[in-house]
């Protein structure tokens, strides 16, 4: 009996085991082959992520592993697919950049694989201990990655800021988790929900809930826990910024949804107020703070703060349509973010990479294909129809309306209108301003990512009954 349960659990966590064992093998290859193994380890890391993705989609069963510590359901599978795609794309996009900037060490892809392992554990966390272990595994690897370019003062500063503020958020989360355990006597999310359904509710428990949500809000850079985001985005190597903006945000958002819907659905009225406040603050701050930015990486930082606010609108609705909207929003956000960073990584001249928005002036005349795709990404992020970003916002706003959160939906629409300014400013620079010095030809891997992301944000993939919409709908049903 015990053997059967262990065997079942190992099959469920197959993708995580592949990444864990694979990361150790890659580390050994790097240690014994030396610095010259960077390219080989990078290629094997991409292969490892793809193998884990295939196992997840075609082999891994759904169920409960290790006595409820790991939950594998449709929601976890959907979010894990996004995490693996985001991490694999980040590794692919980093290959040429790391070599040109002379920090192509074998540790680079190994740390991304280990961080991805932490993200996978986060998405499937069934109790408070697993939640924390996944979060810290993901975070510790990214702290190192943010500072991996040791020759850059900005990179070192970014890593240090992220580490110090991340440690603070981890302390808040741990304090909140200890209070939740203290007032319920449970660490499993389903057991916490059962005790709350029986009426075990106290002020101390709500305080613990708020502290845990605060710690998790830091990971998605939601206001007022956003202070690290612009500096880390700007200072970290651009491929790491691309990773930070994508997969970790998906994993942290999935964890927030699971924590709220799986463990605290009986007291939804209490955490709804917290989520509504964070959502409104993030949407408003992201919309206004990005207007004066000159660096496109800092602009994307403030943009991501705003988009996490929009995604939280769906969670605030606390209904099946809202969770579906969050899942769909994160899929579309990931695609548009990866496409945008493929362009940012392509912004390179003879004297090195550039990241000023003004450097995009006249791009339509020097590289019309790149200008077209970046225009699609910007308009999708702005939420203009008929691109995917419009559908992302439509579904979360409609979920809020169905829950009676009319003011939240209206504020979200108004914030989108304000944010439209800085997205259209980039489009105007590319198509109507005087031509700036052209960029060097983009590597093939960046062009592939850009094409795939650009084609994804067209609405044909998102019509009701389409594969992405159907998968998001199935994911949402996991909690209802």
């Amino acid at each position: 009996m015990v053997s059967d349960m262990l065997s079942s659990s190992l099959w469920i966590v197959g993708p995580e085991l592949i990444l864990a064992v694979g990361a150790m093998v890659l580390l050994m290859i790097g240690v014994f082959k030396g610095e010259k193994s960077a390219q080989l380890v990078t290629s094997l890391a991409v292969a490892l992520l793809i193998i884990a993705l295939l196992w997840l989609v075609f082999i891994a069963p759904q169920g409960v592993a290790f006595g409820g510590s790991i939950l594998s359901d449709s929601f976890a599978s959907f979010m894990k697919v996004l995490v693996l795609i985001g991490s694999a794309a980040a590794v692919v996009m980093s290959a040429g950049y790391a070599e040109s900037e002379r920090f192509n060490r074998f540790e680079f892809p190994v740390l991304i694989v280990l961080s991805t392992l932490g993200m996978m554990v986060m998405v499937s966390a069934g109790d408070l201990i697993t939640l924390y272990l996944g979060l810290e595994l993901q975070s510790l690897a990214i702290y190192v990655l943010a500072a991996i370019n040791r020759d850059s003062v900005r990179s070192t500063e970014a890593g240090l800021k992220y580490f110090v503020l991340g440690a603070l958020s981890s302390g808040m989360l741990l304090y909140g988790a200890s209070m939740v355990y203290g007032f319920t006597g449970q660490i499993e999310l389903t057991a916490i929900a059962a005790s709350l359904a029986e009426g075990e509710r106290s002020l101390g428990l709500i305080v613990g809930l708020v502290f845990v949500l605060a710690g998790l809000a830091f990971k998605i850079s939601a206001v007022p826990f956003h202070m690290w985001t612009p500096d880390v985005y700007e200072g970290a190597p651009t491929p790491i910024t691309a990773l930070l903006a994508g997969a970790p945000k998906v994993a942290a958002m999935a964890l927030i949804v699971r924590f709220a819907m799986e463990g605290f659905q009986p007291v939804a009225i209490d955490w709804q107020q917290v989520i509504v406040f964070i959502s409104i603050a993030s949407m408003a701050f992201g919309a206004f703070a990005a207007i004066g930015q000159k660096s496109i990486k800092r602009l994307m930082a403030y943009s991501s703060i705003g988009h996490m606010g929009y995604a939280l609108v769906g969670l605030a609705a606390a209904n099946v349509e809202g969770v579906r909207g969050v899942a769909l929003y994160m899929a579309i956000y990931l695609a548009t973010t990866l496409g945008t960073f493929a362009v940012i990584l392509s912004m390179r001249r003879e004297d090195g990479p550039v990241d000023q928005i003004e450097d995009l002036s006249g791009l339509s005349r020097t590289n019309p294909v790149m200008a077209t795709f970046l225009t699609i990404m910007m308009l999708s992020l702005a939420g203009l129809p008929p691109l995917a970003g419009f559908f992302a916002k439509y579904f979360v706003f409609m979920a809020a309306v169905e829950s009676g959160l009319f003011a939240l939906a209206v504020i979200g629409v108004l914030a989108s209108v304000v944010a439209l300014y800085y997205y259209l400013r980039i489009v105007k620079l590319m198509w109507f301003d005087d031509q700036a010095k052209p960029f060097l030809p983009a590597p093939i891997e960046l062009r592939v990512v850009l094409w795939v992301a650009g084609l994804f944000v067209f609405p044909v993939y998102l019509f009701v009954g389409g594969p992405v919409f159907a998968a998001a709908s199935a994911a949402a049903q996991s909690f209802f």
Side-chain angles (χ1 to χ4, degrees):
M1 184 68 179
V2 174
S3 177
D4 290 342
M5 290 175 62
L6 178 60
S7 175
S8 172
S9 295
L10 291 176
W11 277 94
I12 289 172
V13 299
E16 286 86 349
L17 288 176
I18 289 171
L19 293 184
V21 175
M24 296 302 103
V25 172
L26 293 183
L27 189 59
M28 291 300 101
I29 292 173
V31 168
F32 287 107
K33 282 189 169 289
E35 292 298 331
K36 293 181 181 178
S37 64
Q39 191 170 358
L40 171 64
V41 174
T42 299
S43 302
L44 290 175
V46 176
L48 195 65
L49 292 165
I50 293 172
I51 291 169
L53 177 62
L54 294 175
W55 182 288
L56 175 67
V57 174
F58 296 109
I59 299 177
Q62 293 187 358
V64 179
F66 303 114
S69 293
I70 298 290
L71 304 176
S72 179
D73 50 23
S74 298
F75 180 78
S77 298
F78 184 85
M79 289 302 195
K80 283 180 182 178
V81 167
L82 298 184
V83 164
L84 288 166
I85 290 172
S87 296
V91 177
V92 168
M93 291 194 295
S94 71
Y97 185 95
E99 188 172 351
S100 62
E101 294 298 301
R102 296 185 298 280
F103 63 90
N104 54 328
R105 305 182 185 93
F106 71 86
E107 297 96 331
F108 190 83
V110 174
L111 285 166
I112 292 181
V113 172
L114 288 171
S115 177
T116 307
L117 171 60
M119 297 177 213
M120 302 271 281
V121 174
M122 286 167 64
V123 173
S124 287
D127 61 39
L128 298 175
I129 295 175
T130 310
L131 177 155
Y132 183 72
L133 288 175
L135 195 70
E136 285 305 294
L137 178 55
Q138 175 245 306
S139 300
L140 289 171
I142 292 186
Y143 297 153
V144 180
L145 285 168
I148 198 165
N149 189 2
R150 291 175 295 189
D151 298 329
S152 168
V153 175
R154 290 167 67 191
S155 177
T156 307
E157 180 188 355
L160 185 61
K161 281 183 177 177
Y162 192 29
F163 171 69
V164 172
L165 294 172
L168 176 63
S169 75
S170 294
M172 294 171 65
L173 189 147
L174 271 178
Y175 179 69
S178 66
M179 291 196 72
V180 170
Y181 171 68
F183 282 92
T184 62
Q186 306 289 343
I187 60 168
E188 285 187 30
L189 297 180
T190 50
I192 291 170
S195 67
L196 290 175
E198 294 170 0
E200 291 187 22
R201 178 182 169 190
S202 63
L203 178 60
L205 178 67
I206 302 305
V207 171
L209 167 64
V210 171
F211 269 93
V212 174
L213 287 176
L216 296 177
F218 175 89
K219 297 302 177 184
I220 60 168
S221 59
V223 176
F225 310 101
H226 64 282
M227 63 289 291
W228 61 274
T229 315
D231 291 337
V232 174
Y233 268 50
E234 186 179 25
T238 308
I240 299 307
T241 308
L243 174 71
L244 265 172
K249 295 286 177 72
V250 173
M253 184 62 73
L255 182 53
I256 292 175
V257 172
R258 185 173 295 284
F259 179 79
M261 300 303 298
E262 191 90 50
F264 287 85
Q265 202 165 15
V267 290
I269 191 67
D270 293 308
W271 57 256
Q272 262 184 311
Q273 299 171 47
V274 179
I275 297 297
V276 167
F277 168 76
I278 293 175
S279 175
I280 291 173
S282 299
M283 290 187 295
F285 183 81
F288 286 99
I291 290 175
Q293 299 304 314
K294 296 181 179 178
S295 163
I296 192 165
K297 288 170 72 176
R298 288 186 76 89
L299 184 141
M300 288 302 294
Y302 288 110
S303 170
S304 75
I305 292 170
H307 283 287
M308 292 304 101
Y310 297 125
L312 288 173
V313 171
L315 176 57
N319 54 22
V320 66
E321 292 83 7
V323 177
R324 181 190 64 194
V326 174
L328 201 58
Y329 200 103
M330 296 314 294
I332 295 166
Y333 167 78
L334 179 69
T336 48
T337 299
L338 290 175
T340 303
F341 274 97
V343 173
I344 295 172
L345 282 160
S346 302
M347 293 171 61
R348 172 177 291 277
R349 298 195 176 111
E350 294 287 351
D351 51 352
V354 293
D355 70 342
Q356 296 299 299
I357 296 173
E358 298 294 332
D359 292 311
L360 292 166
S361 297
L363 184 64
S364 60
R365 291 184 285 282
T366 59
N367 194 331
V369 174
M370 187 189 292
T372 301
F373 275 114
L374 185 56
T375 300
I376 291 171
M377 299 302 160
M378 292 295 105
L379 297 182
S380 180
L381 286 170
L384 292 183
L387 299 173
F390 167 77
F391 291 96
K393 291 182 179 177
Y394 172 80
F395 286 119
V396 293
F397 291 159
M398 287 306 296
V401 170
E402 287 181 23
S403 285
L405 302 173
F406 301 106
L408 180 61
V410 170
I411 292 170
V413 172
L414 294 176
S416 296
V417 173
V418 175
L420 183 62
Y421 166 77
Y422 55 79
Y423 294 123
L424 287 180
R425 176 179 160 224
I426 293 176
V427 175
K428 175 253 184 188
L429 275 170
M430 291 190 295
W431 292 94
F432 299 109
D433 278 25
D434 294 333
Q435 180 179 325
K437 189 178 177 183
F439 302 130
L440 296 174
I444 182 68
E445 64 268 14
L446 295 180
R447 281 179 277 169
V448 169
V449 171
L450 184 58
W451 272 87
V452 172
L455 294 175
F456 179 83
V457 300
F458 280 87
V460 67
Y461 295 93
L462 300 168
F463 290 144
V464 175
V468 179
F469 185 90
S473 299
Q477 292 294 338
S478 301
F479 301 110
F480 298 91

